[in-house]
Amino acid sequence: MDLGIKGRSAIVCGASRGLGRACAESLAREGVQVLMAARRPDVLEKAAEEIRARTGAVIRTAAVDVTTPQGRAMLLSMLPDPDILVTNAGGPPPGDFRDWDRDAWIRALDANMLTPIELIKATVDQMISRKFGRIVNITSGAVKAPIDVLGLSNGARAGLTGFVAGLARKTVRHNVTINNLLPGPFDTDRIAAVLGGQAKAEGITLEQAKARRIADNPAGRFGDPSEFGDACAWICSAQAGYMTGQNILLDGGAFPGVL
Ligand code: NAD
């Protein structure tokens, strides 16, 4: 299936590793010109080089912290009018809510709620005027089924989800969609960090925590980041203009509900 986005431009945040990187690669394979953003220039450039080699796509990099106003300004100066925006940043640390002070909450809100909103604010009106735009926010399966040790993530992402639900109905008339892609357990550095927190809290090893999580999943495995990237590319496709405001779960069936 030709996704009809060859020659489009995209900003992909948190793109040097994990799910963001996979989204960048899947879009690049469709012929999208991708601006990859992440903090560490060496890791980012290495990832970009690998994607260039595999896809032949035009890939640029922005070594910025997207959670800061300066980082976002630099990113947007390199591509002020993307056709596609994938928002993403590292998730907040796991822990006990009794240990989180106001600063910890503000950091989580900045990274996982206010940064995506600022990036949407900076790009959505131009998408509307060009009658094409696809915005995908990488959130978390924890939006639908909160995980206790991820309280900072549960709270911040719920705020973003509520905001998107309203705006996404305003933009779709102009062929600009805004959707959230909710990862369950995917095999990235992030899941190792989260499981490490759970293992510590329960006094078990990381390997035990990992084996338990895999055994609990109906698919009997963690997701491959490429599966996530390809889902993202489809949401960004020309054909996906009638889907907006959705929270799409990719979790191997872990969430047990019907809806
Ligand atoms: P990861 O840690 O493997 O990769 C995160 C990427 O974001 C890296 O490229 C990192 O450099 C970049 N990044 C982090 N903070 C940044 C910042 N301030 N500015 C720019 N770049 C930044 O994480 P992942 O597994 O790919 O997860 C992506 C998102 O999905 C995270 O928010 C995570 O919490 C969420 N999530 C992941 C899983 C999972 O199983 N992997 C499950 C649920 C939710």
Side-chain angles (χ1 to χ4, degrees):
M1 181 175 176
D2 179 351
L3 299 187
I5 47 177
K6 191 172 183 343
R8 296 278 184 195
S9 63
I11 289 177
V12 180
C13 302
S16 66
R17 289 183 288 125
L19 305 179
R21 181 196 156 132
C23 293
E25 178 152 352
S26 293
L27 289 169
R29 205 185 320 116
E30 295 303 316
V32 174
Q33 302 181 9
V34 182
L35 175 58
M36 295 169 61
R39 286 163 304 181
R40 285 188 45 194
D42 50 339
V43 186
L44 180 60
E45 192 45 49
K46 186 168 176 286
E49 197 44 56
E50 286 168 7
I51 295 176
R52 281 185 203 110
R54 278 208 281 266
T55 65
V58 176
I59 307 285
R60 292 188 297 151
T61 58
V64 298
D65 182 339
V66 295
T67 66
T68 67
Q70 302 88 325
R72 289 191 293 274
M74 185 185 282
L75 179 62
L76 292 165
S77 73
M78 290 179 69
L79 182 52
D81 52 356
D83 299 308
I84 294 166
L85 169 68
V86 179
T87 75
N88 178 34
D96 185 321
F97 80 95
R98 295 169 187 83
D99 300 327
W100 299 329
D101 58 13
R102 179 179 163 76
D103 285 347
W105 275 105
I106 296 296
R107 275 195 300 278
L109 292 171
D110 261 341
N112 299 112
M113 177 184 170
L114 299 176
T115 290
I117 291 174
E118 288 289 345
L119 288 169
I120 292 169
K121 185 175 148 191
T123 54
V124 74
D125 286 333
Q126 298 159 55
M127 292 178 182
I128 287 172
S129 66
R130 291 197 310 276
K131 300 279 181 223
F132 181 89
R134 299 285 183 264
I135 298 174
V136 178
N137 303 299
I138 300 179
T139 66
S140 173
V143 170
K144 287 191 76 150
I147 300 169
D148 57 359
V149 294
L150 292 178
L152 290 169
S153 169
N154 301 337
R157 297 190 204 271
L160 175 64
T161 304
F163 167 76
V164 164
L167 182 62
R169 271 87 188 176
K170 292 283 186 194
T171 62
V172 65
R173 180 175 297 266
H174 309 283
N175 192 23
V176 176
T177 67
I178 313 178
N179 292 287
N180 305 316
L181 203 41
L182 282 54
F186 275 82
D187 197 4
T188 69
D189 294 346
R190 165 71 179 172
I191 198 154
V194 171
L195 289 176
Q198 281 176 348
K200 196 172 159 203
E202 295 178 37
I204 59 174
T205 66
L206 175 60
E207 287 66 35
Q208 286 171 317
K210 194 172 173 183
R212 186 181 60 189
R213 191 80 188 273
I214 287 174
D216 281 352
N217 191 287
R221 63 179 177 89
F222 288 158
D224 187 305
S226 68
E227 296 173 300
F228 192 92
D230 287 353
C232 176
W234 182 80
I235 296 170
C236 296
S237 70
Q239 293 90 335
Y242 202 53
M243 183 177 78
T244 198
Q246 299 305 299
N247 291 286
I248 300 138
L249 195 54
L250 290 182
D251 70 348
F255 181 73
V258 177
L259 297 172

